[in-house]
Amino acid sequence: MTDLMYLNSKQRTDILGDIKLTLDDLGLRKERKKNNLIDKNTASKDINIEKFKKCIIDASATISIVNSPDNISLEVKTFLHDKNISSPIAIIDPQLFDEIDGHGLNITNEYDRNDITVSMTKAWMAIEETGSLIMKSCPRNPTSLNFLPDYHIVILDRNSIVHNMNQVWKELRESKKSLPRTINIITGPSRTADIEHTIQLGAHGPRSLHVIVI
Amino acid sequence: MPNTNTEFKYKAREALKDEQLQQALVGVKQGLVNNRLDAIKVVPEFESFRNDAAAVKQHVLENLDLYLEEFEENAISSGAIVHWAKTAEDARQIILDICKQNNAKNIIKGKSMVSEEIRLNEALKNNGLDVVETDLGEYIVQLADEPPSHIIMPCIHKTLSQITQLFRKNHTDIHKADKNYSVADIVNEAREVMRRKFLSADIGIIGANFLIAETGSIVLVTNEGNGDLCSCLPKTQIITTSIEKVLPTLDDASLLLKVLARSATGQQITSYNTLLTGPKQDNDKDGPEEMHIVLVDNGRSKMLKTELREMLRCIRCGACLNHCPVYGSVGGHAYNSVYPGPMGSILSPAIEGLEKYYDLPNACTLNGRCESVCPVKIPLTKILRHLRNEQFKKRLNNKSTRFSLKLWSFFATRPKLYHRFNSLFINALNIYINILNRCSAIPVFSSWLKSRDFAPSQQKTFQQIWQSRKEND
Ligand code: SF4
C-alpha cells in the first residue's frame, strides 16, 4: 500500500508539474471571460406550469396536478389500476409514508433492493425549462428507489419548481449543508435507442414515471 | 517506414461492401443528424451556447493544473480517494489493485470511453475477473467480442437480427428460441439478465462526463440509468476518467449539459444527469463505501504542449462522427482505433502515436462539416491538416505520395510555371478525353475516378478567362 501511495504521489507530481511547465512556458494562462448567456431574465418571471407539464409529457412521463395531499392516493390508485399493478408501493420517507398511509393503498416501508416494483419518492425541486425532477439522496431517500422499480411515482410540491438548472445549484450553495452523495436530475423514464435507433423505454431503470404535483 | 498504410484503406473497402453495415449507417446519417437539427431549432441562442461552451473548455485548458488541484482537494474532503495515472498501463494497475484489495470477483461497468482507451476489460478478464458492460450497446458489442463502432452508440453497426442471434447464443436459460424478437423483447431480456448482475456485483466501474472543481463531484450522463445502478448498488465504486474533463463550477456543467444532449442525441436534456459527491454517507441505505476516482493522463498533458491542444476541449458528443461523410460511408470499425471519425483521427494518433495511426489524418476530405457542428467549436480540419504536415515532416507518407506532394509544391510556389503547366495540362486532358470519350480512363487518376466522374473541363483555365476579361474591359 505504501508503494502504491508513493507511486500515486509521484505520478501526480509528474502530471501536474508537466502541465504547469507547459502553461507557464507557452504563456497560455489567461483570465476567465464572462459567459454571454447566464440564464438572463428568468429569475423574476412566474413559473409556467403548462410549460413544465408539456416538457414532462415530451419526455414520455405522465403528470397530474392535485389540490391537496389528500388527493394523492386517489391519483395513485388510478395510475396503478390503469397499469394493472397490485405490488406494494415502496415508500421509505416516513413523512410521505404517514401521509399516504390509511388511504387504502398497498404500501411498504421496507427497503428490499431485490424486490421493488413500484416506488414513491419526493422530489426536492424541479426544473420548468426541461421538465426535470431533482432528487436528493439521504437516508430517507435512497437513490436506488429512483432506478430499481418498474414504476416510479414522484411527488412534487408546486412551489419547488424553478426555471433552470443554475437555480438548483444556487439553492444548493445557499443551503450551506455539505452536498448529498447523489443528486439525480431525472427527465422521463429510462430509455435506450441502441438498437436500430428505436427508442425503447425501461432499459434498466423505470419503464414509466408518473409525477404528481401538489 | 510504417506498413500500416493500407489498413484503413483495406478496412474501408470491406466496409463499403458490407450491406448490413451500410443499412445501419443510413440511420446515423438521417436519424442522428435530423434529431440534432430538431433539437437546436427550438433554441435560438444555441450558437451562443456553443461559443460559451468552447470558451469554458478553453479556459479550463489554460488553467488545467489549478482546476485539477481544486477538484482533487474537494473530492478528497468529500471522502473520495483520488488516483493519478500517467499512462494506460498505470491506470490498469491502479484499478487491478483496487479490485484485489476488495477481493472482488464480479464487476459491472457503465459506459466509459476512457476505460476503452486504457483497454481495461481485457486486463480485468486476464486477471480472472468477471466483467459485464451494462450499457445495452456496450453489452451487445461485448457479447460479439467487438469494439464499439461509435462513441455514444456502440452497436450502431448491428441489426436486430444479429443482436437476437447473439442473445440466443448467450442467454440460453431465458431466451425463447422460437420467438420472433422485437426491439422491446431484446431490451426486456437484457434488463432481466442485467438486473441479476447489478444486484450481485462487488464493484461498479463508471466513467464521468465532467468533474466539478468547485465541489469535487462527478457528473454522469446516461439515458438508460445503468450508470446510476452501477454507482449506487455495489459496495465499491471506481470512476475512470481523464484530466481534461474538469470544469470550474456547477453552472458550467449546466451549460455543457445543454450542448452535449442536443449535439449527441438531439434531446433537450438527457434522461439522467447525476451529480456524485463522495461515498455513502451516515445511515444511507445505498451507495458505495469507497469511491475511487482514477484521473488518467495518457498523453493529454503532452497534447497540451502541441498544436493538438484544442482537441482537449472535446466532450465526446459524437456529432462530428454523425456528420462526417467518411464515417457515414465506412462506419467506426474501419478506423481500427478506440475513437473513430474526425475526433478519433486526431485523438488516436495523439494518444498512441502518429506512426501507429498514420492513416487516420488522411481519412478525411476536409469538408469541415464536423467543425460546423462541434459544440465546443474544435477546429478539427485545421488540426487534421497539422497532423498531415507532421506526417510529411516525419517522412511517414509513402514514396509516391511524397513525390507528388513535392512536385505539386514545386509548381505551386512558382506561379508563372504553374499557370503555364496548368493550361498545357488542360489542353492535353481535353484531347485525351475527346479521343477516349471517357474521363475515368485518365492515367494516374484512374483509382480516384473509379467511384466518381470528372467534370469536363472549361477549355481555358480560370486565369486565362480572367485575363481575357480584363483585356476586354
Ligand atoms: S470533436 Fe466536437 S463534435 Fe466531435 S465528439 Fe468531440 S465535442 Fe463532439
Side-chain angles (χ1 to χ4, degrees):
Chain A
M1 192 66 206
T2 36
D3 276 1
L4 243 178
M5 272 160 73
Y6 166 74
L7 198 70
N8 191 33
S9 89
K10 184 177 175 316
Q11 302 216 7
R12 179 185 184 278
T13 333
D14 273 6
I15 296 170
L16 285 174
D18 215 11
I19 298 173
K20 269 186 213 307
L21 260 179
T22 305
L23 295 177
D24 292 335
D25 279 2
L26 301 180
L28 290 175
R29 281 188 210 284
K30 273 182 222 120
E31 284 290 299
R32 177 159 192 182
K33 284 192 226 105
K34 266 231 152 25
N35 283 358
N36 299 325
L37 291 154
I38 297 200
D39 306 302
K40 40 184 184 197
N41 322 325
T42 44
S44 56
K45 268 193 274 167
D46 280 341
I47 293 294
N48 180 346
I49 192 85
E50 285 309 314
K51 183 176 172 199
F52 178 71
K53 219 168 134 178
K54 182 173 180 299
C55 290
I56 292 264
I57 293 164
D58 285 349
S60 314
T62 48
I63 177 168
S64 56
I65 298 172
V66 298
N67 292 326
S68 97
D70 295 337
N71 303 338
I72 295 176
S73 27
L74 188 65
E75 251 319 304
V76 175
K77 261 182 221 155
T78 327
F79 173 75
L80 295 180
H81 183 81
D82 289 350
K83 298 246 180 289
N84 209 0
I85 309 160
S86 54
S87 329
I89 310 168
I91 308 178
I92 306 303
D93 184 342
Q95 199 191 338
L96 188 60
F97 187 91
D98 288 344
E99 262 173 38
I100 305 295
D101 200 15
H103 288 82
L105 281 172
N106 180 8
I107 57 178
T108 168
N109 57 5
E110 232 152 87
Y111 173 78
D112 174 6
R113 64 184 206 169
N114 295 305
D115 182 24
I116 298 177
T117 308
V118 194
S119 74
M120 186 190 285
T121 59
K122 226 176 186 163
W124 174 51
M125 293 173 84
I127 302 175
E128 176 207 60
E129 189 180 70
T130 48
S132 311
L133 305 162
I134 316 294
M135 321 298 283
K136 215 158 86 165
S137 74
C138 66
R140 285 177 290 130
N141 235 335
T143 308
S144 46
L145 276 199
N146 303 325
F147 293 94
L148 286 171
D150 287 24
Y151 305 93
H152 184 202
I153 302 167
V154 177
I155 309 297
L156 170 70
D157 182 344
R158 189 190 163 130
N159 296 326
S160 62
I161 307 176
V162 293
H163 292 283
N164 55 51
M165 204 182 282
N166 283 354
Q167 288 174 293
V168 177
W169 306 140
K170 190 163 168 261
E171 189 79 16
L172 207 60
R173 285 189 198 103
E174 281 167 6
S175 77
K176 294 253 161 57
K177 283 195 213 115
S178 65
L179 286 182
R181 185 190 85 82
T182 308
I183 290 189
N184 295 114
I185 305 170
I186 298 179
T187 317
S190 151
R191 72 197 60 209
T192 179
D194 274 345
I195 303 174
E196 298 193 337
H197 300 279
T198 313
I199 292 179
Q200 180 63 43
L201 299 182
H204 292 287
R207 300 169 193 277
S208 87
L209 172 70
H210 185 58
V211 185
I212 302 177
V213 185
I214 311 174
Chain B
M1 181 63 65
N3 54 6
T4 51
N5 186 16
T6 49
E7 181 105 42
F8 177 80
K9 285 188 196 149
Y10 171 76
K11 289 208 165 200
R13 218 172 287 139
E14 294 297 300
L16 287 169
K17 284 188 263 173
D18 184 337
E19 273 172 36
Q20 286 191 319
L21 174 68
Q22 290 303 323
Q23 190 192 325
L25 287 170
V26 175
V28 180
K29 283 180 271 190
Q30 292 169 356
L32 289 169
V33 168
N34 289 340
N35 288 354
R36 174 183 172 277
L37 271 182
D38 290 344
I40 64 174
K41 236 181 354 214
V42 293
V43 194
E45 62 278 47
F46 191 71
E47 203 42 38
S48 304
F49 287 162
R50 281 179 74 209
N51 287 331
D52 282 350
V56 170
K57 290 292 285 189
Q58 188 62 26
H59 167 75
V60 167
L61 294 182
E62 288 160 359
N63 297 276
L64 187 57
D65 50 342
L66 305 179
Y67 286 120
L68 283 170
E69 282 165 343
E70 186 186 347
F71 169 77
E72 183 193 35
E73 192 186 330
N74 289 323
I76 291 174
S77 64
S78 78
I81 303 162
V82 180
H83 308 262
W84 299 77
K86 183 90 187 151
T87 64
E89 158 89 66
D90 296 329
R92 290 193 298 262
Q93 200 49 53
I94 291 167
I95 295 164
L96 284 171
D97 284 337
I98 301 170
C99 293
K100 216 186 272 164
Q101 280 160 24
N102 283 281
N103 286 322
K105 275 207 181 63
N106 300 316
I107 295 178
I108 47 172
K109 278 187 68 208
K111 194 169 154 26
S112 154
M113 286 311 292
V114 171
S115 89
E116 296 284 343
E117 178 188 319
I118 62 171
R119 303 199 160 63
L120 182 59
N121 284 5
E122 208 183 298
L124 294 170
K125 235 173 84 188
N126 291 344
N127 279 272
L129 295 154
D130 180 47
V131 196
V132 184
E133 292 285 350
T134 61
D135 171 88
L136 183 58
E138 288 278 346
Y139 176 65
I140 289 166
V141 294
Q142 190 188 24
L143 290 183
D145 199 19
E146 287 171 12
S149 69
H150 189 287
I151 58 171
I152 62 156
M153 299 270 187
C155 71
I156 206 155
H157 58 289
K158 287 247 175 283
T159 58
L160 177 60
S161 79
Q162 289 173 317
I163 297 167
T164 311
Q165 273 170 26
L166 277 174
F167 274 32
R168 183 164 307 155
K169 212 173 101 198
N170 287 280
H171 303 159
T172 40
D173 52 338
I174 53 169
H175 193 87
K176 298 178 191 69
D178 47 352
K179 194 173 155 176
N180 205 353
Y181 270 62
S182 65
V183 173
D185 297 327
I186 291 287
V187 173
N188 278 333
E189 186 167 303
R191 182 187 173 103
E192 197 182 328
V193 172
M194 216 62 86
R195 190 49 75 91
R196 286 181 245 157
K197 304 275 183 192
F198 277 124
L199 292 167
S200 61
D202 308 305
I203 293 188
I205 301 181
I206 53 176
N209 294 79
F210 306 108
L211 313 172
I212 310 295
E214 167 187 38
T215 56
S217 320
I218 299 295
V219 176
L220 177 68
V221 180
T222 75
N223 269 309
E224 298 183 6
N226 62 314
D228 291 282
L229 286 167
C230 286
S231 90
C232 68
L233 297 173
K235 96 181 193 323
T236 306
Q237 177 184 69
I238 303 175
I239 290 142
T240 51
T241 186
S242 51
I243 53 174
E244 84 285 10
K245 294 219 158 84
V246 66
L247 289 177
T249 66
L250 288 168
D251 295 349
D252 297 318
S254 326
L255 171 69
L256 267 302
L257 288 172
K258 273 185 194 163
V259 292
L260 174 61
R262 291 181 174 99
S263 307
T265 50
Q267 287 168 285
Q268 297 301 323
I269 185 168
T270 315
S271 301
Y272 299 116
N273 293 302
T274 303
L275 187 73
L276 296 168
T277 318
K280 179 175 179 165
Q281 298 179 356
D282 290 347
N283 300 323
D284 272 355
K285 289 197 166 50
D286 55 13
E289 276 149 35
E290 279 175 27
M291 180 198 213
H292 295 270
I293 303 170
V294 185
L295 294 172
V296 179
D297 179 342
N298 203 23
R300 287 162 175 81
S301 56
K302 232 193 255 141
M303 274 172 83
L304 198 61
K305 285 189 198 124
T306 68
E307 297 296 311
L308 310 181
R309 188 179 307 124
E310 284 156 298
M311 194 60 220
L312 293 169
R313 297 208 297 252
C314 176
I315 55 172
R316 312 283 190 265
C317 73
C320 59
L321 277 59
N322 305 339
H323 290 77
C324 173
V326 178
Y327 180 93
S329 313
V330 301
H333 285 160
Y335 292 80
N336 205 22
S337 87
V338 170
Y339 301 104
M343 54 85 81
S345 300
I346 297 169
L347 270 181
S348 296
I351 294 172
E352 296 191 50
L354 194 52
E355 288 77 8
K356 181 166 176 196
Y357 289 110
Y358 151 77
D359 253 355
L360 296 192
N362 303 322
C364 166
T365 66
L366 299 182
N367 61 81
R369 274 183 89 195
C370 50
E371 58 191 34
S372 72
V373 296
C374 175
V376 284
K377 295 203 153 175
I378 298 172
L380 292 151
T381 52
K382 185 187 99 185
I383 305 179
L384 281 163
R385 239 184 254 126
H386 170 80
L387 280 175
R388 289 185 184 182
N389 281 337
E390 290 294 295
Q391 276 179 345
F392 195 79
K393 270 194 232 151
K394 289 191 177 170
R395 312 183 73 83
L396 292 174
N397 324 62
N398 62 28
K399 278 202 186 112
S400 66
T401 313
R402 291 184 71 79
F403 175 73
S404 330
L405 284 173
K406 279 202 173 137
L407 192 68
W408 184 79
S409 97
F410 175 81
F411 282 108
T413 47
R414 293 167 176 79
K416 274 206 184 126
L417 206 58
Y418 183 82
H419 292 138
R420 206 163 305 149
F421 178 80
N422 224 359
S423 55
L424 268 175
F425 178 71
I426 297 279
N427 286 337
L429 198 65
N430 285 333
I431 296 168
Y432 199 88
I433 291 170
N434 283 337
I435 298 172
L436 283 174
N437 216 0
R438 228 175 80 223
C439 296
S440 59
I442 306 169
V444 188
F445 297 108
S446 58
S447 72
W448 191 70
L449 291 167
K450 225 185 279 170
S451 52
R452 37 171 115 60
D453 211 359
F454 205 67
S457 98
Q458 300 282 327
Q459 306 285 339
K460 281 183 177 165
T461 67
F462 171 75
Q463 290 288 341
Q464 287 167 337
I465 300 170
W466 178 253
Q467 208 56 42
S468 69
R469 282 213 187 155
K470 260 202 335 206
E471 278 157 18
N472 288 346
D473 278 348

